[in-house]
Amino acid sequence: MVPTLSFDRLRSILVATVTHLPDHRTQPNRIYEMADAALGAFAVFFVQSPSFLAHQLDMQRVRGQNNAQSLFGIDQVPSDGQIRNLLDPIIPEHLTPPFWRVFEHLRDGAYLQAYQGHLGQWLCALDGTQYFSSQKIHCAQCTVRVINERPYYSHSLVAPLIVAPGENRVIALEPEFVRPQDGSEKQDCELRAAERWLRRNASRFPVGALTLLGDDLYCHQPFCELVLAQHCHFVFTCKPESHPALYQEIELLTQAGGVFEVSQRRWTGQRHEIWRYRYATRVPLRADPQPLYVNWCEVTITDEATGELLYRNAWATDHALTESGLHSFVIAARTRWKSENENNNVLKNYGYHLEHNFGHGQQYLALVLVMLNLLAFLFHTVLDLCDEQYRRVRTELAARQTFFHDVQALTRYLYFDSWQVLINFMFTQLELDTNSPSPPRKRAKRRS
Ligand SMILES: [Zn+2]
């Protein structure tokens, strides 16, 4: 029997990891445990409030109890400075286990059945995101570029996400950072980071069950060969400007009748669209004495009434392409866009908390905080998948900000015994009914 993924269950997964973080203090100050520092930063991200810990210290003074302790299990509420000092020496790899424990619980609890339909595969979108840049602030893990003799510092990562067509929730997996690599002369980059991730994690999935989705950057012969060597599949955007040899071949094949064309008329509920597919099998990915042969598919979508071009893209893949499978292939390929939207939200909008609360750190802090931020995002996604009450409250407070504003205000002024008690309080106050399913609701939807 797989236990339900309640908030407390998720928190215990995190606690199991953070209680074993190495303590680098030469004279350990036993008032603040490492776990308190990690849970403190996590709590700030989870409620999306830079002031959460300060408010809980106030509450502790006035009431003798606080929500940091009751909701998150933080023994002694640390200050931002203490969090910075304690977490800065921690290598981010220490925080990878919760990503996989959560994924395994979701998978084994059959919460992810909707994620395995298309192509019979897990679809994993690879997406590189730069989440920090500065001309002044930097740390040992920054990527440095010198432009006009001035250094530019940045942080980026590859955040792999399990996605599914028609499913707006994405499951964050362990990320891989673009950062200086020991013993390497070359500057690290997104593609090399993705290679490391794949070598480390491909075996976590059954042989042949993982399809990687990515943009044109990944559509690169050595990377595609690595994907195949790791017994995975790929569907990567394939642009003409970066694949001249492949497109030359497509042109020759077109003249020889070797490119298949299919048109489908599709009703969206609002308009008729014409989906025009062109596809070819076994074309060389690049000019090379030993090219990798891939299958190629292009789709052009136009509005039937106006002729307006709505969408055009092309992909290279190792999956077999058949006429009957073209539509679901393209639908699967396009789910990659979800990762861009979701990640940009998480990493860019929440960047505020990263820098303003805790500073940049000198060793690993900027990486550790992103790991905790991604875990907070993952936990919200999981609750949305698994916890009906949470989902109903979120739906009711549909504008994202409202939910968090309410959580922030409530936890500032009121004490709750647990996260579940807090959600239950919101659920009751919003007069949501456990017996009626999600919308339609009895009242008009609130706006912000
Ligand atoms: Zn840095």
Side-chain angles (χ1 to χ4, degrees):
M1 176 81 186
V2 181
T4 311
L5 275 174
S6 62
F7 176 78
D8 282 345
R9 178 81 193 117
L10 290 168
R11 191 177 58 87
S12 70
I13 290 172
L14 180 59
V15 166
T17 290
V18 298
T19 45
H20 294 109
L21 290 177
D23 191 336
H24 291 269
R25 289 171 289 187
T26 45
Q27 292 179 314
N29 161 355
R30 284 295 158 201
I31 296 175
Y32 296 103
E33 297 291 343
M34 294 301 294
D36 288 343
L39 291 171
F42 171 82
V44 165
F45 301 132
F46 192 76
V47 302
Q48 295 187 16
S49 165
S51 328
F52 178 75
L53 296 176
H55 290 158
Q56 299 314 309
L57 282 170
D58 291 343
M59 183 182 280
Q60 180 66 34
R61 270 191 293 276
V62 176
R63 294 170 171 254
Q65 56 187 7
N66 71 80
N67 291 304
Q69 204 282 322
S70 59
L71 270 50
F72 297 98
I74 298 168
D75 225 18
Q76 295 289 327
V77 179
S79 70
D80 292 347
Q82 284 156 342
I83 290 177
R84 176 174 57 243
N85 293 338
L86 289 174
L87 297 187
D88 197 23
I90 302 297
I91 56 169
E93 284 74 11
H94 282 299
L95 289 167
T96 56
F99 286 94
W100 295 108
R101 292 299 87 72
V102 170
F103 175 69
E104 287 155 10
H105 272 79
L106 287 173
R107 183 195 60 201
D108 299 344
Y111 292 107
L112 296 182
Q113 283 170 346
Y115 289 78
Q116 268 200 286
H118 282 255
L119 305 172
Q121 295 276 310
W122 293 105
L123 300 178
C124 177
L126 299 173
D127 184 26
T129 308
Q130 180 178 305
Y131 64 90
F132 169 84
S133 68
S134 172
Q135 291 183 33
K136 290 193 201 116
I137 300 166
H138 58 94
C139 70
Q141 303 301 321
C142 272
T143 297
V144 191
R145 287 189 186 80
V146 178
I147 302 168
N148 296 333
E149 299 180 3
R150 294 195 58 178
Y152 286 79
Y153 304 100
S154 66
H155 282 263
S156 46
L157 52 63
V158 175
L161 298 166
I162 297 290
V163 297
E167 176 53 72
N168 61 10
R169 290 166 289 214
V170 301
I171 313 298
L173 300 177
E174 165 199 341
E176 175 68 29
F177 292 95
V178 177
R179 67 197 235 207
Q181 296 294 305
D182 286 345
S184 176
E185 303 272 296
K186 287 185 194 166
Q187 176 102 304
D188 199 25
C189 66
E190 181 180 336
L191 205 53
R192 273 192 279 275
E195 284 174 13
R196 290 194 297 276
W197 186 90
L198 189 60
R199 285 183 204 280
R200 202 167 59 240
N201 293 310
S203 63
R204 293 179 186 271
F205 294 84
V207 168
L210 184 68
T211 291
L212 298 172
L213 310 176
D215 65 18
D216 191 69
L217 173 79
Y218 293 97
C219 198
H220 179 60
Q221 182 158 330
F223 188 72
C224 294
E225 286 172 337
L226 175 68
V227 172
L228 297 176
Q230 298 289 332
H231 308 291
C232 300
H233 302 282
F234 61 85
V235 177
F236 294 144
T237 301
C238 181
K239 290 184 178 165
E241 50 277 24
S242 40
H243 299 86
L246 182 144
Y247 279 87
Q248 209 169 24
E249 180 78 6
I250 294 291
E251 208 166 304
L252 290 171
L253 280 174
T254 305
Q255 290 163 16
V259 173
F260 307 100
E261 295 201 16
V262 178
S263 275
Q264 293 171 351
R265 184 167 182 248
R266 298 201 159 262
W267 173 245
T268 64
Q270 284 159 340
R271 64 182 174 209
H272 275 110
E273 293 178 351
I274 302 297
W275 290 47
R276 183 165 162 265
Y277 306 91
R278 298 171 69 223
Y279 68 103
T281 52
R282 238 185 111 68
V283 287
L285 189 57
R286 70 177 183 193
D288 190 293
Q290 289 183 302
L292 177 69
Y293 289 96
V294 297
N295 301 323
W296 171 87
C297 177
E298 176 193 72
V299 69
T300 308
I301 305 173
T302 49
D303 185 321
E304 186 183 45
T306 65
E308 182 193 351
L309 174 69
L310 302 171
Y311 181 82
R312 172 179 282 161
N313 211 342
W315 299 273
T317 182
D318 67 305
H319 279 296
L321 295 173
T322 60
E323 188 173 329
S324 62
L326 288 174
H327 186 66
S328 62
F329 171 80
V330 168
I331 295 292
R334 288 181 70 183
T335 51
R336 190 182 74 74
W337 295 106
K338 278 186 201 316
S339 75
E340 295 207 337
N341 299 336
E342 290 295 332
N343 262 336
N344 287 347
N345 252 339
V346 177
L347 296 170
K348 296 201 169 142
N349 297 352
Y350 305 4
Y352 169 81
H353 302 314
L354 296 178
E355 290 305 314
H356 290 254
N357 264 51
F358 305 114
H360 193 71
Q362 295 180 329
Q363 299 178 69
Y364 301 103
L365 186 70
L367 283 52
V368 169
L369 294 178
V370 166
M371 297 286 273
L372 291 167
N373 201 354
L374 284 171
L375 282 169
F377 165 65
L378 173 64
F379 283 17
H380 279 295
T381 307
V382 172
L383 293 176
D384 205 43
L385 271 169
C386 305
D387 181 335
E388 171 69 10
Q389 239 184 12
Y390 172 94
R391 183 164 53 237
R392 294 285 304 281
V393 171
R394 285 296 297 260
T395 308
E396 183 71 10
L397 305 176
R400 193 185 180 87
Q401 290 295 330
T402 312
F403 173 79
F404 288 106
H405 281 162
D406 287 6
V407 167
Q408 288 155 17
L410 288 169
T411 54
R412 178 170 185 182
Y413 296 113
L414 300 174
Y415 171 80
F416 296 91
D417 276 329
S418 70
W419 173 259
Q420 202 56 52
V421 171
L422 167 63
I423 290 297
N424 195 275
F425 176 87
M426 294 172 81
F427 186 85
T428 309
Q429 295 299 313
L430 290 165
E431 297 174 37
L432 298 172
D433 182 355
T434 27
N435 294 319
S436 77
S438 296
R441 290 182 294 270
K442 50 189 170 182
R443 279 174 287 120
K445 196 164 166 182
R446 279 150 214 248
R447 301 207 181 272
S448 67

